[in-house]
Amino acid sequence: MGVTTDGTAQGGLLAGKRLLVTGVLMESSIAFHVARVAQQQGATVVLSGFGRGLRITRTIARRLPQPAPVVELDVTSEEQLAGLPDAVREHVDGLDGVLHSIGFAPEAALGGNFLNTTWDDVATAVHVSAYSLKALTMAAKPLMPRGGSVVGLTFDAAVAWPKYDWMGVAKAAFESTARYLARDLGPEGFRVNLVAAGPLRTTAAKSIPGFEEFERVWSTRAPLGWALEDPEPAARTCCALLSDWMPATTAEIVHADGGVHAMGA
């Protein structure tokens, strides 16, 4: 396997793959590192952004090994979802994989306010953080006539976490959505999997009140150890799922968390 002057691999794990990566807002984000590793492994990457974050995504896109094009996509906008295929085709002729790295909950839905959160705030969290997996997958589907890999990022929703509240509920819905998508789209060649990463000091994490409580758990319970500022393990796991090396794996949640998920008290 050769390496080009920009550090990308010739014949890498993702050689020839065309990927749409959502959620790149900071260099610290897992999505940025998925895009970086994917390019280094031979993939062509298109990013998406929306609203006030679109300009930031375009700036961050220039910091990848190869500057990546950015399309506008608000996953709550039916108009923009419908326009995704045409927007992507301006840069590549189709897709082989999609990374869903999108999540949001209003402040009132986090931080220990679980019993008092209104439906409007809960509905926003579920729409953006769970239903959007189905919406994004179906929007990208015309670009993937032979199927492909859809990978999403979750934070293990099998248990109730301190202060995570309705985002935890939304992540549980997200995980269930992935299983139903895997069921319904498997016959068309789609694999739908999630990566449950341990806590990382990303932009998303900074918006979670009490995030330091997660840090304490991982600092003492990860048998492999856990680096709070290293998105590389999670990014590599996502890229493995986006590749052809796991052809019979779908409806799975792969943990990239240092082993915490399997440890008792």
Side-chain angles (χ1 to χ4, degrees):
M1 180 178 69
V3 178
T4 64
T5 56
D6 59 10
T8 60
Q10 295 176 330
L13 188 68
L14 292 166
K17 296 297 185 187
R18 303 153 300 173
L19 306 178
L20 174 66
V21 176
T22 67
V24 174
L25 281 173
M26 297 290 289
E27 282 190 66
S28 62
S29 68
I30 297 174
F32 174 84
H33 290 274
V34 170
R36 175 182 59 79
V37 172
Q39 286 188 343
Q40 290 170 342
Q41 289 299 317
T44 298
V45 173
V46 177
L47 306 182
S48 76
F50 83 100
R52 290 180 295 177
L54 184 61
R55 181 174 58 85
I56 298 173
T57 301
R58 286 175 173 152
T59 299
I60 298 296
R62 294 195 290 270
R63 300 177 188 173
L64 289 167
Q66 299 174 349
V70 180
V71 299
E72 185 172 9
L73 178 65
D74 177 353
V75 291
T76 67
S77 166
E78 293 297 328
E79 180 180 358
Q80 290 191 16
L81 287 164
L84 179 65
D86 287 340
V88 169
R89 286 192 186 103
E90 292 183 12
H91 307 286
V92 291
D93 58 1
L95 291 174
D96 302 289
V98 176
L99 179 80
H100 180 290
S101 180
I102 299 166
F104 172 76
E107 186 177 350
L110 297 162
N113 194 45
F114 183 83
L115 296 178
N116 301 310
T117 307
T118 66
W119 167 243
D120 285 346
D121 288 329
V122 171
T124 297
V126 172
H127 189 181
V128 177
S129 307
Y131 181 81
S132 63
L133 179 62
K134 192 280 291 189
L136 175 62
T137 301
M138 295 306 292
K141 189 170 178 285
L143 294 159
M144 307 167 76
R146 293 182 297 276
S149 177
V150 177
V151 177
L153 290 166
T154 190
F155 190 73
D156 197 339
V159 297
W161 294 102
K163 309 293 180 67
Y164 209 41
D165 295 354
W166 287 101
M167 181 58 92
V169 175
K171 285 297 186 184
F174 179 69
E175 293 175 4
S176 184
T177 300
R179 289 188 285 271
Y180 280 93
L181 282 171
R183 180 197 69 181
D184 288 356
L185 294 179
E188 298 181 54
F190 284 84
R191 293 175 288 120
V192 184
N193 295 288
L194 304 181
V195 172
L200 293 162
R201 289 176 180 154
T202 63
T203 302
K206 292 174 184 177
S207 69
I208 301 172
F211 179 76
E212 63 279 358
E213 296 186 38
F214 298 119
E215 296 184 355
R216 285 196 293 270
V217 170
W218 262 260
S219 67
T220 59
R221 294 180 58 193
L224 287 176
W226 185 251
L228 291 159
E229 296 178 348
D230 183 11
E232 182 91 5
R236 289 190 184 190
T237 305
C238 291
C239 286
L241 288 167
L242 287 165
S243 79
D244 292 332
W245 279 90
M246 302 176 78
T249 300
T250 195
E252 187 62 85
I253 299 174
V254 180
H255 289 80
D257 68 346
V260 168
H261 72 281
M263 298 298 106

